[in-house]
Amino acid sequence: MKNYNFERKASDLLALLGNPFRIQIILTIGEGEACVCHLETALNKRQAYISQHLMALRDGGILETRREGKYIFYRLSNPKVFELIRAAGLLAGVQEKDLPMLQIPLQVNKCVCPYCEGEIPMFEKKLHSVVPENE
Amino acid sequence: MKNYNFERKASDLLALLGNPFRIQIILTIGEGEACVCHLETALNKRQAYISQHLMALRDGGILETRREGKYIFYRLSNPKVFELIRAAGLLAGVQEKDLPMLQIPLQVNKCVCPYCEGEIPMFEKKLHSVVPENE
DNA sequence: TTTTCATATTCGTATTTTTGAATATATTGT
DNA sequence: ACAATATATTCAAAAATACGAATATGAAAA
């Protein structure tokens, strides 16, 4: 990995992000953090499936984790990945107004994670305060 | 395609760029243009292989073409894809100084295309004059 | 320490992507 | 019209990826 050439490094990163579900995960986490079970209810997919993608994203350096008791919270390791995704959307013809914005994870109905249960105040979820720049 | 959601549009674009050889092609074309046979000699791959990737990139809106006699010249449809690739490199841990720069295609030894033969002056190849911005 | 809950891992298969080989098409020059 | 050259397309095998099912691990609570 260390001595991969530029094309390889860049394309690995791009390929990692080149999956709609992984993008969904990233958009859901946004500038906050989320545990697996939160994503499970928010995205309505099986736990194992989510874990697999989270692992891939973490191995690729896109996500970082924090353990708190039995929960493991995932967050973006660098808010620039968000800008990269937005830039890709623009290149793909998405209108400026239809681009996603960085936001904290939304409370989800059936979710019982500490955030959705209100055990951690919402504002503490906001880890990145970067607002994607407009041209 | 028209009614794909954001994740799908963005991830399709990212996946398209998520291939080291396609990145190589894009870096080689740079801010100029190149025919298939130029890429063939420059990248030392079979013509069919190159054509396939070029088609994929054109279908994905990354490249545009211009026909001149029996030659077909490919160019970036938007220099921002170059910035996207650079941004991906940065996120992948590439040092700023090791990032590729937009440049016109280099003359290649065994290549017999109009550019390499000097039939079209080099400076005419420079289609995009955008210099990737530094922070 | 046993149970429970959150998350990780392993495994198998369906699907997609990659890539080479062969072949087709289009343009130019003779 | 024919040959030569540049590029596109089709086909198939190999490789990689996606994704579900089952199972394992690890922390907390009883």
Side-chain angles (χ1 to χ4, degrees):
Chain A
M1 311 225 186
K2 193 66 184 170
N3 42 22
Y4 280 170
N5 55 18
F6 173 83
E7 304 90 86
R8 182 61 192 271
K9 288 179 186 166
S11 66
D12 277 0
L13 195 285
L14 289 164
L16 186 58
L17 295 177
N19 173 293
F21 188 65
R22 287 200 283 268
I23 300 244
Q24 257 195 286
I25 289 178
I26 292 169
L27 296 186
T28 303
I29 294 176
E31 65 190 320
E33 60 179 6
C35 61
V36 179
C37 74
H38 180 91
L39 295 167
E40 203 177 338
T41 46
L43 300 177
N44 196 33
K45 293 281 178 186
R46 308 207 164 216
Q47 174 266 320
Y49 185 52
I50 298 194
S51 261
Q52 285 167 353
H53 284 295
L54 287 173
M55 299 287 297
L57 288 167
R58 182 163 53 120
D59 289 349
I62 304 289
L63 297 180
E64 290 178 347
T65 54
R66 169 177 80 88
R67 166 156 236 149
E68 185 175 322
K70 55 185 176 181
Y71 294 92
I72 295 180
F73 294 101
Y74 284 82
R75 62 179 184 278
L76 295 195
S77 59
N78 185 338
K80 293 226 169 194
V81 307
F82 207 90
E83 294 177 41
L84 190 81
I85 291 171
R86 283 168 52 95
L90 277 179
L91 278 173
V94 176
Q95 303 270 2
E96 188 99 30
K97 66 175 173 61
D98 295 327
L99 293 179
M101 295 298 284
L102 256 186
Q103 56 181 30
I104 56 177
L106 298 172
Q107 219 145 356
V108 181
N109 239 346
K110 294 156 294 180
C111 183
V112 295
C113 82
Y115 281 123
C116 286
E117 294 284 282
E119 294 166 30
I120 308 179
M122 279 309 230
F123 64 82
E124 279 191 19
K125 285 202 270 190
K126 192 161 174 170
L127 299 179
H128 305 293
S129 53
V130 174
V131 175
E133 38 186 334
N134 306 9
E135 24 269 83
Chain B
M1 315 228 186
K2 194 66 184 170
N3 43 22
Y4 280 169
N5 55 19
F6 173 83
E7 303 90 86
R8 182 60 192 274
K9 288 180 186 165
S11 67
D12 277 359
L13 195 285
L14 290 164
L16 187 59
L17 295 177
N19 173 294
F21 187 66
R22 286 199 286 267
I23 299 248
Q24 257 196 285
I25 288 179
I26 292 169
L27 296 186
T28 302
I29 294 176
E31 64 190 324
E33 59 179 5
C35 61
V36 179
C37 75
H38 179 91
L39 295 168
E40 202 177 339
T41 45
L43 301 177
N44 196 34
K45 293 280 177 187
R46 308 203 164 218
Q47 173 267 319
Y49 184 55
I50 298 193
S51 261
Q52 285 166 350
H53 284 295
L54 287 174
M55 298 287 296
L57 287 168
R58 183 163 53 120
D59 290 349
I62 304 290
L63 297 180
E64 290 178 347
T65 56
R66 169 178 81 87
R67 166 156 235 150
E68 187 174 321
K70 55 185 177 180
Y71 294 92
I72 295 181
F73 294 101
Y74 285 81
R75 62 179 183 277
L76 296 195
S77 60
N78 185 339
K80 293 226 168 193
V81 308
F82 206 90
E83 295 178 39
L84 192 80
I85 290 170
R86 284 170 52 97
L90 278 179
L91 278 172
V94 175
Q95 304 271 1
E96 187 98 31
K97 66 175 173 58
D98 296 326
L99 293 179
M101 295 299 285
L102 255 186
Q103 56 179 32
I104 58 176
L106 298 172
Q107 217 145 356
V108 181
N109 239 347
K110 294 156 295 181
C111 182
V112 295
C113 82
Y115 282 123
C116 286
E117 294 284 282
E119 293 166 30
I120 308 181
M122 281 307 232
F123 64 83
E124 278 190 21
K125 285 202 269 190
K126 191 161 176 170
L127 298 180
H128 305 294
S129 53
V130 173
V131 176
E133 38 187 335
N134 306 8
E135 23 269 81

